[in-house]
Amino acid sequence: MRIALCQLNPTVGDISGNLRLLREALARISSQKVDLAVFSEMFLVGYPARDLLERGWFVERAEMALGEVAEISRQAGVGILVGGVARKKHPNKGKGLYNAAFLFAGGKEVFRQEKSLLPFYDVFDEVRYFDPAPKVNLYNFNGVELGISVCEDAWNSPILWGREIYQFDPIAEQARLGAKIFINIAASPFWTGKEEVRFNLIKGHIQKYHRPFVFLNQVGANEELVFDGRSFVLDGAGNPVKVLPGFEESVQVLEISPELKMPNSVSYTPIPIIESVYRALVLGISDYVHKCGFKKVVLGISGGIDSAVTACLAVAALGPEGVLGVTMPSEFSTPEGIADAEKLAQNLGIEIISIPITRIFHTYLDTLKPHFPSEENLIPDVTEENIQARIRGNLLMALSNKFGYLVLSTGNKSELAVGYCTLYGDMSGGLAVLADVPKTMVYELAQYINREREVIPHSIIQKPPSAELKPNQRDTDTLPPYPVLDEIIHLYVDEVLSLTEIVGRGFDRSVVEWVVKKIDRNEFKRRQIPPGIKVTTKAFGSGRRLPIVARYEH
């Protein structure tokens, strides 16, 4: 049986556009005598469609698209396996909607397999919209019994969780029913290391059941989620026979059979971590900007490492013509920092403009002075620092309003974790590029960007981090060293360890208490950040839901 792996980039809600992608993919393989073309989970509506799935008109349009795919299968003379949604025939109980894989051939729907396991953790909330499959079946296609499943249906494995988190295992049931080839269509979002986890997960199924496995994943970015693709086929002995590229669309055809060992095995090596993060961020920027209808972004460039890395990522995503840099020097900005910003812009080939803020800042101070009457209140503190950050945020938003540019905010995960950021200042923007990138990883990205030539000036990488909001300021005046801070944040936020458990890892108790307290108290700030691109196992945003108004002790 010849199958086509159609690893494509659908857009949420754009049903007509996603149908166009499907037709274009079939046109590309029209001369290759394909029996079955495979597309990703919820391909027709895009993943995640979220509360669009609660709109009756949207679900009706999604069901109409199924009829269009049926007709396409007749015209193309090829079987089409594609993800979509459909209402239950008798929705007297439950949500009344299924996330399903649909198989079309000869102008009609010949089979559908609803999703059994509905993820409920991290960024997933499928139990909000869908009912689980009433049963698991096989389908005989061209004489081969196919076990078709949808994403999470293959994830009930101790390899990932250390235990089975669901009471039912669809893959085991399909194996029991006699499936000869497994096919899993997925919308599995990226985080560091997940590619290898997925590969080992599927290989674990093969070690149990000794049958070939087709894994077809979505590629592209929708809001904070990036889908890395990296679809693959393993034979019944667990050897890779096809591995698709990461972070890009790809349509590839191969011959597959139920044989234990298929010919033409290929090598498989996971994409290195920092390269994968870099590519995820570039794809995240590109799709967010283009799918939202923007043509250009604007960001403040301070001469610091965060804005430098963000600018480089933006240029990789949009080209130099799609990026405007703005320096906004104050009386506390160093000449070296301004020179570094200009050198970076020159290296990237982007336009850069300068809007000094000293005069605006002093106008603010003069305006507020009558309302800060005591001598104590006139002593500069964080208030004056935040005013500068908010001036800069206002200037960037003014350029955005006037020219229709998207503002990129440049704060990193370490700063957002402990509140080392200013509401309505450096947190302003439409996309928080580094919101899930710890400071230590920002430096790793800078080294990766400079792997072939000096794009980011070495002076930016080597200088001590500083907000430059008061004389001789350094981040370490307020924060623990970033390697220490980032590890504590990882253990508390990603690993969900208690304060006592973190101290047990060898960290000073007073430092851990300070970091944990800062993380807890700044939830209100993080609730107001722009969408951020998820690259770690636990990002701030929809995947981490802690109350703002709460009183608890560690």
Side-chain angles (χ1 to χ4, degrees), residues 307-325:
S307 62
V309 168
T310 303
C312 292
L313 293 166
V315 169
L318 308 170
E321 68 282 355
V323 180
L324 172 64

Side-chain angles (χ1 to χ4, degrees), residues 201-252:
L201 179 81
I202 300 304
K203 194 163 185 176
H205 289 304
I206 294 173
Q207 289 169 345
K208 279 185 181 180
Y209 308 118
H210 309 291
R211 294 152 211 198
F213 206 117
V214 177
F215 170 76
L216 192 285
N217 193 28
Q218 175 175 311
V219 74
N222 290 319
E223 296 180 31
E224 75 269 37
L225 299 184
V226 177
F227 301 87
D228 54 322
R230 215 47 178 149
S231 307
F232 56 83
V233 178
L234 305 182
D235 67 17
N239 303 307
V241 293
K242 182 70 72 172
V243 180
L244 271 59
F247 305 101
E248 62 184 78
E249 290 187 314
S250 180
V251 178
Q252 298 192 26

Side-chain angles (χ1 to χ4, degrees), residues 87-121:
R87 285 174 285 204
K88 297 167 70 173
K89 291 183 179 179
H90 305 290
N92 55 332
K93 290 183 180 180
K95 304 295 191 299
L97 194 66
Y98 289 125
N99 174 354
F102 299 86
L103 181 56
F104 300 93
K108 61 182 181 180
E109 179 188 317
V110 296
F111 178 74
R112 73 169 65 175
Q113 179 58 64
E114 298 86 356
K115 189 173 186 176
S116 296
L117 309 183
L118 304 176
F120 52 85
Y121 51 86

